[in-house]
Amino acid sequence: MYRKVIIFLIMLLLWFLGIVFCPFDIGFYQYLTLPKIMPPTSFFGIIWIIIYLLNTLSIYNLIKNCELNNDYYFILTLNFIFCEAFPIFFFYFHNLILSLITTVGTTVTSYFLMNETKKINKTYSYYLYPYVGISIISLILLIIIFILN
């Protein structure tokens, strides 16, 4: 039992690596011209915690209960790289174009990850629907921020 909990927690904590090494930079964020439709900053903090929890539930259950293929591992790895690169480019380097590119990558790979998961186990793919949705919303918001700045 403890082994399963520890493995789950390690998998969950991996999603937070980018934020741990490049925490939220309030100064840079306040410097940006933000769209009027931008939700409060706390919204994204709460939402991404929920998204990472759902992602981890999906991945953990797939690894534990299903036969996974190389396509799944490939798209999961790409998605993880794009997702973790965003805070580095946005909060550390303050580079909007690279942040936008990583957000496009995260959005596209989250969709493909959901589809690959659906091929393996439809039930576990439902955990990824919010991830795809918030990725699309984040992409739209970042495009607007990019245009405004």
Side-chain angles (χ1 to χ4, degrees):
M1 168 76 170
Y2 292 116
R3 185 172 186 262
K4 290 179 182 180
V5 171
I6 290 171
I7 290 170
F8 180 84
L9 289 175
I10 289 170
M11 292 172 68
L12 178 62
L13 291 174
L14 285 173
W15 287 103
F16 292 96
L17 285 177
I19 293 297
V20 169
F21 291 111
C22 300
F24 181 73
D25 183 352
I26 191 70
F28 173 68
Y29 191 77
Q30 288 177 340
Y31 168 77
L32 295 170
T33 303
L34 300 174
K36 292 185 181 5
I37 61 169
M38 194 71 172
T41 54
S42 60
F43 170 80
F44 284 108
I46 293 166
I47 276 299
W48 282 108
I49 290 170
I50 294 167
I51 295 296
Y52 293 154
L53 181 62
L54 292 171
N55 287 0
T56 304
L57 282 169
S58 175
I59 296 163
Y60 178 80
N61 283 316
L62 283 171
I63 290 171
K64 190 175 85 169
N65 300 318
C66 303
E67 182 76 26
L68 302 178
N69 57 40
N70 287 337
D71 291 342
Y72 177 82
Y73 286 119
F74 178 73
I75 200 68
L76 175 62
T77 303
L78 277 179
N79 179 262
F80 181 78
I81 290 168
F82 280 122
C83 191
E84 296 307 302
F86 176 81
I88 296 167
F89 292 131
F90 192 78
F91 294 117
Y92 184 75
F93 289 115
H94 303 155
N95 189 318
L96 290 179
I97 188 69
L98 291 177
S99 301
L100 183 58
I101 290 168
T102 58
T103 304
V104 168
T106 300
T107 303
V108 170
T109 57
S110 68
Y111 175 77
F112 285 120
L113 182 62
M114 182 190 65
N115 281 338
E116 282 300 317
T117 303
K118 188 183 284 186
K119 291 177 191 175
I120 298 165
N121 185 301
K122 190 174 183 177
T123 302
Y124 299 144
S125 73
Y126 294 141
Y127 293 127
L128 301 178
Y129 281 44
Y131 184 34
V132 174
I134 199 67
S135 295
I136 292 168
I137 292 167
S138 297
L139 177 59
I140 292 166
L141 290 172
L142 197 56
I143 288 170
I144 296 169
I145 290 170
F146 182 78
I147 291 168
L148 292 175
N149 292 278

